[in-house]
Amino acid sequence: MRRFAMSAILLTLALLARPAFAQTARISELARIKGQGVSTLQGLGLVMGLNGTGDSGKELAVARPIAEVLRRNGNPIPDLEELAKGRSVALVMVTCEVPREGAKTDDQLDVRVSVIHSASSLEGGILYTAPLTAPVPGSGVWGYANGQVIVESPDRPTTGFIPEGAYIAKDIDTTPDITSSFQLVLAPQYAGYRAAAEIAGAINDEYLLTTRTIGEKIARVIDERTVHVTVPDSERRAPAGFVGDVMATSVSVSRLSVPAQVICNTRTGQITVTGDVRISPAVITHDDLVITTTLPEPIPTPADPLVDKSRWAALVPGARESELARIEDLQNALNQLDVPVTDQIQILQMLHRAGKLHARLIID
């Protein structure tokens, strides 16, 4: 048996993937209409039913809203001191992201909650009904949130989410008023003059091949992320159908010249790699890394099995082995060191800052 205590490892590797292949996507998957964006509803709430992990009842910022809830439910508290010993309630910030398409009355959207004061965990808690307003003061109530809080990570028990915990009380319309023209805004990962030109060209080709009469090209590139689209005169009385057709136009993704990307979601601990990502030789120092290697390799038995831990996976449907670059070097190094996903993301950030990661790094 050999045990190596290491503080540095040499990574000379090629990360991912397969050559580009024919794939199409709708423009609605690549761009949005300008003026149509994600919005946020927010509010303050109380998470109840905590097992001694809530805020101290001695904190007036917590005791006052609890007393107000009790008063509204027919049990007024004459003295806030009566709440001093309680730790079953936490004051939280409640947020709800409204998609760029907006929301309609009675829609249900996901909710996120986070501790504001001294509560140590939201595990097992239930959000008491909380009103949701727009960030602008005086905008009124747009919805309500409540439900069982789910703590996603044991390492961060002071945040959680409630699937479909928000109930929209009135329509939230994010679609701009379109008459003679509108602009398409490419998603950041597709930004580039080549991509913008391909999208504009696809729109123009689509309408040149139809029976609709147009005097000139209806789409033109403004900048790396913006394509201006003119609504034909014949469509202006009811442009919805025209806009829908534009957003459904297919574009060849392989022609967009999108750079390879490494997308890291720090909340869920997921790492997604797209394209042919390569990393130059680099030396990484990260904590007190330890590799344990046993020679010869033992034969696994039911009583003493060999455990293969993996946090990386190559998703390559239908690819031949000859079409794949090597991901095993990076995968084996990280698996041997049993590096947590959060640390893997930090390593990728270090490589990117050093100019060794030849890909666009996106941290969500």
Side-chain angles (χ1 to χ4, degrees), residues 105-132:
T105 302
D106 296 329
D107 277 354
Q108 293 180 245
L109 303 176
D110 292 346
V111 168
R112 303 208 64 82
V113 295
S114 54
V115 166
I116 293 178
H117 277 291
S118 59
S120 58
S121 176
L122 297 177
E123 186 69 44
I126 297 176
L127 176 67
Y128 182 79
T129 302
L132 298 174

Side-chain angles (χ1 to χ4, degrees), residues 28 77 195 201 239:
S28 60
I77 299 294

Side-chain angles (χ1 to χ4, degrees), residues 31-43:
R32 61 177 173 85
I33 298 174
K34 188 173 183 179
Q36 188 180 48
V38 173
S39 56
T40 301
L41 300 179
Q42 64 184 32

Side-chain angles (χ1 to χ4, degrees), residues 231-279:
V231 180
D233 293 339
S234 59
E235 305 283 354
R236 293 184 181 183
R237 300 183 69 178
F242 171 79
V243 175
D245 288 344
V246 168
M247 301 306 288
T249 300
S250 295
V251 179
S252 174
V253 176
S254 62
R255 295 175 59 87
L256 298 181
S257 297
V258 177
Q261 301 175 55
V262 179
I263 306 170
C264 303
N265 189 317
T266 55
R267 179 173 56 83
T268 61
Q270 295 176 329
I271 301 174
T272 304
V273 185
T274 67
D276 186 12
V277 180
R278 297 187 179 274
I279 301 177

